[in-house]
Amino acid sequence: MSGLYVFALTREACPPFQSAGHAVEFVRAGDVYAAVERAVRPPSVSEPALRRQHDVIAALTARVDAVLPARFGAFVDGPELEAIVTRRRDVITEALQLVRGRKQMTSRLLGSESGAETGGPGTAVAAESGTAYMESRRQRHARPAPLSAVAEAVRDLVAAERFEVGRGRTIATLYHLIDARDVKAYRDALVTVQVRTEDGTLTLTGPWAPFAFAPDLWT
């Protein structure tokens, strides 16, 4: 018996299509649609499988104007899908309205492998007192200066923002949701910020589907 492997929730449906070896169709769930593939089980976790899922989401965003990507491995049956959408209806409706016609831009501040392991920005440090411990936590979750500069440079273009403390070589990540028409203006605004940073390597990628702005509905 097959289930539904969910790629994303959308505001509207489009004709079925093939992408990255997946047969994608749309099923209605309450007031929204789910882009799904009928399958016996979800794909096993692997780098190629993750890339193929990303390719499917990219193909979706070229066809519909509001997409909430599902996490990798979102596998349900029809009644479960209906129940999830019904339970989180308001959250889904608000998120779809937010992402409509918009793209995600992602800025990451990268440090050296050694720096990330020995207490650079965003890493834990030993604390000798309660005050020192609280200060170390504050520093770990504070936005590094280069990412603050990114936020300031593009603040007039940003509809929503998410900040995330990193691990390993990634010190921190800043996600911005912007109108699709503003991608070039966004990149242009960050040219000098990328050149001037001395606190690590600042990378900018996008436009992407709004992965960071999709609510986690599948736990």
Side-chain angles (χ1 to χ4, degrees):
M1 182 176 178
S2 67
L4 302 175
Y5 183 66
V6 183
F7 293 104
L9 298 180
T10 69
R11 287 168 51 97
E12 57 189 323
C14 70
F17 65 93
Q18 296 274 338
S19 176
H22 293 283
V24 182
E25 62 182 281
F26 289 77
V27 297
R28 185 149 197 166
D31 296 332
V32 301
Y33 292 88
V36 305
E37 181 175 42
R38 298 185 187 275
V40 175
R41 63 183 66 86
S44 58
V45 178
S46 68
E47 189 65 28
L50 290 167
R51 282 198 297 267
R52 287 193 293 271
Q53 170 133 339
H54 190 278
D55 290 343
V56 171
I57 300 300
L60 273 170
T61 61
R63 289 168 166 81
V64 295
D65 70 349
V67 174
L68 295 178
R71 71 178 187 186
F72 185 85
F75 187 74
V76 296
D77 60 24
E80 285 179 293
L81 179 60
E82 286 278 358
I84 288 169
V85 172
T86 299
R87 185 169 62 248
R88 303 297 302 279
R89 176 181 176 180
D90 291 345
V91 171
I92 293 167
T93 299
E94 183 178 347
L96 282 169
Q97 184 61 37
L98 176 65
V99 303
R100 185 179 185 182
R102 289 173 171 148
K103 300 292 185 181
Q104 176 183 307
M105 304 298 288
T106 303
S107 295
R108 286 189 173 87
L109 184 63
L110 306 178
S112 65
E113 292 288 354
S114 58
E117 293 170 358
T118 59
T123 61
V125 295
E128 297 180 358
S129 68
T131 300
Y133 171 75
M134 294 304 294
E135 177 62 17
S136 73
R137 283 181 59 85
R138 186 194 68 78
Q139 290 179 0
R140 285 174 60 196
H141 292 86
R143 191 158 63 186
L147 293 182
S148 292
V150 167
E152 178 63 23
V154 297
R155 63 179 179 175
D156 293 338
L157 300 173
V158 173
E161 177 181 281
R162 275 198 57 210
F163 170 74
E164 188 174 271
V165 175
R167 60 182 179 179
R169 192 182 171 211
T170 301
I171 297 170
T173 305
L174 188 65
Y175 304 100
H176 280 153
L177 191 66
I178 66 170
D179 289 348
R181 65 177 180 270
D182 290 334
V183 169
K184 183 179 185 303
Y186 185 97
R187 287 173 172 159
D188 290 346
L190 293 183
V191 169
T192 56
V193 175
Q194 290 180 283
V195 169
R196 291 177 182 174
T197 183
E198 297 177 355
D199 298 328
T201 301
L202 187 62
T203 68
L204 171 66
T205 60
W208 307 115
F211 292 94
F213 299 92
D216 187 2
L217 308 171
W218 314 99
T219 52

